[in-house]
Amino acid sequence: MIKKKQLNIWLLVLLLAAVAFAGYYFFFQSDNSKNYIAYKDFYSLAEQGKLESVQIKEERLVFVQKGSEIKEWTKNPHSPLLEEFLLRNDVELSVEKDTGEIFSIIFDAIFYIFFFGIFIFAFRKFISPNSFKVVHKTGVKFDDVVGMDNLKRDMKQVMKIMENPAEYAKRGIRMPKGILLEGEPGNGKTLFAKALAGEAKINFIPAKATDFESMFMAIGPLKVKLLFRKARRRAPCIVFIDEFDGIGTRRNYSGSAIETENTRIVTALLNELDGFEATNGVLVIAATNSIQALDPALIRPGRFDARFAVPYPDSAAREKLIEMYCRGKSPAQECSVQVLSKTFNGFSCAKIESVLNKAALLAAQDQRDSFTLDDVRQAVKEL
């Protein structure tokens, strides 16, 4: 019953469409003119100067003779010389665009709107001023960073220079333009950069290598310029670039598109690092897992003045990390801080946290409140 009703509705829609098409054809295409004249007679009238006006349509010529209001028509021969002939014989001429041409114009307009819409979207997506967000308060202090005591001490001196660059400039001391942090992943390079910004109470602009990648050529260098332009406006601030070896690799002039884009990014970085003074209050901190992969011109003194290694946590640091990561968890009595510290020798900060979390998860799966050394060993195997 429902299908039959739906079928009747579709038939009604088709019938209305047919009626509308027929009405359009008879009332608009016929131009209310039923008087047909052969083309040779039409041509003769034009030569004699007896035509008042002619309307050129796709399939016909609709015309009015002088002294008459009756519309007559003849077939359109589509002659390329017809318009000039009629104009030479002082005929008022108008050309009506055919339906196909109108639809062609509409579709062309839709295409250009779509094309430029995609272009504008891509531009805003890949070169938007919001690509690099400014963090005003990182919420991290040096107390949240375990270990790195020597690095903290050196950074406190840098903070003092950032707070009073003019005072130190009088003594011939400038702030380093860049600091390079080298170390294995998961040892707290990003956390340390946030802590430095938090301690100094200055703006923090985080970025990573993938932020400069794009499917379009030359977008990477533009993003580099955008990043440093924003940093200058937000000074004093820290620009932190993670995975620095992803964009600062040695330049290779092989001619490939990827190498060409990488060369442009490195060149843009060189120009930006050379383009601002240490007194501008912008400090660049770059984190890398492999300093050997970086372009020598990029990390020379005067651009990155200080290099610091971020090692795996030592015994004392591991104990502090274990105490911090065990908060809210219930280790068994055999899982003392000292025992776990020896177990985690050579582990990064991130791996220690992941192992303890996995061990607690294994205990919960067995309906146990506390995790044991066996859980820890099993977690180490699975991670």
Side-chain angles (χ1 to χ4, degrees), residues 131-144:
S131 297
F132 303 102
K133 295 188 177 180
V134 180
V135 180
H136 301 289
K137 293 182 180 179
T138 62
V140 183
K141 296 293 183 68
F142 279 160
D143 292 339
D144 300 313

Side-chain angles (χ1 to χ4, degrees), residues 46-65:
E47 283 184 320
Q48 298 172 23
K50 295 182 179 181
L51 296 182
E52 179 73 27
S53 64
V54 175
Q55 185 180 21
I56 300 178
K57 297 191 175 186
E58 176 66 17
E59 298 297 333
R60 63 181 61 185
L61 305 174
V62 180
F63 60 93
V64 176
Q65 297 187 39

Side-chain angles (χ1 to χ4, degrees), residues 175-201:
M175 186 188 74
K177 289 184 179 181
I179 296 174
L180 198 61
L181 301 179
E182 181 188 16
E184 294 299 319
N187 277 329
K189 297 187 291 294
T190 303
L191 183 66
F192 180 82
K194 290 181 179 179
L196 179 59
E199 286 285 342
K201 298 179 181 179

Side-chain angles (χ1 to χ4, degrees), residues 146-150 187 311-322 341-342 344-347 349 352:
V146 177
M148 305 187 197
D149 296 329
N150 294 333
N187 277 329
Y312 286 109
D314 56 18
S315 178
R318 289 197 300 272
E319 291 181 4
K320 291 180 181 179
L321 288 169
I322 291 166
S341 177
K342 292 179 181 179
F344 295 153
N345 185 26
F347 285 20
C349 303
I352 291 173

Side-chain angles (χ1 to χ4, degrees), residues 211-382:
D211 292 335
F212 301 93
E213 295 176 355
S214 173
M215 66 178 71
F216 301 106
M217 292 291 290
I219 296 296
L222 286 177
K223 286 190 173 184
V224 171
K225 295 178 182 178
L226 175 65
L227 171 62
F228 282 91
R229 190 181 304 126
K230 179 174 286 189
R232 291 186 183 94
R233 291 199 305 265
R234 301 289 183 169
C237 75
I238 290 176
V239 175
F240 176 70
I241 305 177
D242 200 6
E243 305 165 0
F244 194 52
D245 45 291
I247 59 170
T249 53
R250 294 173 180 269
R251 285 169 287 181
N252 186 340
Y253 302 96
S254 63
S256 66
I258 295 176
E259 292 299 339
T260 300
E261 182 71 355
N262 176 73
T263 299
R264 288 174 178 172
I265 292 175
V266 172
T267 303
L269 283 168
L270 293 173
N271 292 335
E272 293 299 330
L273 289 171
D274 289 338
F276 67 85
E277 299 295 331
T279 54
N280 288 351
V282 178
L283 176 64
V284 182
I285 300 180
T288 179
N289 302 328
S290 176
I291 199 170
Q292 291 78 15
L294 297 174
D295 192 277
L298 193 60
I299 58 175
R300 69 161 174 79
R303 289 176 179 141
F304 283 91
D305 299 295
R307 301 181 188 179
F308 296 98
V310 181
Y312 286 109
D314 56 18
S315 178
R318 289 197 300 272
E319 291 181 4
K320 291 180 181 179
L321 288 169
I322 291 166
E323 290 176 355
M324 182 172 63
Y325 293 143
C326 281
R327 291 171 190 165
K329 299 180 178 65
S330 300
Q333 190 172 2
E334 61 181 354
C335 295
S336 66
V337 172
Q338 293 74 21
V339 171
L340 290 177
S341 177
K342 292 179 181 179
T343 304
F344 295 153
N345 185 26
F347 285 20
S348 67
C349 303
K351 188 171 183 180
I352 291 173
E353 191 277 334
S354 296
V355 169
L356 291 173
N357 186 69
K358 182 66 175 179
L361 182 61
L362 292 173
Q365 290 175 351
D366 293 338
Q367 306 297 320
R368 289 181 282 110
D369 295 331
S370 302
F371 63 87
T372 64
L373 277 177
D374 288 336
D375 294 323
V376 172
R377 296 189 186 101
Q378 182 63 31
V380 171
K381 290 180 181 179
E382 293 184 9

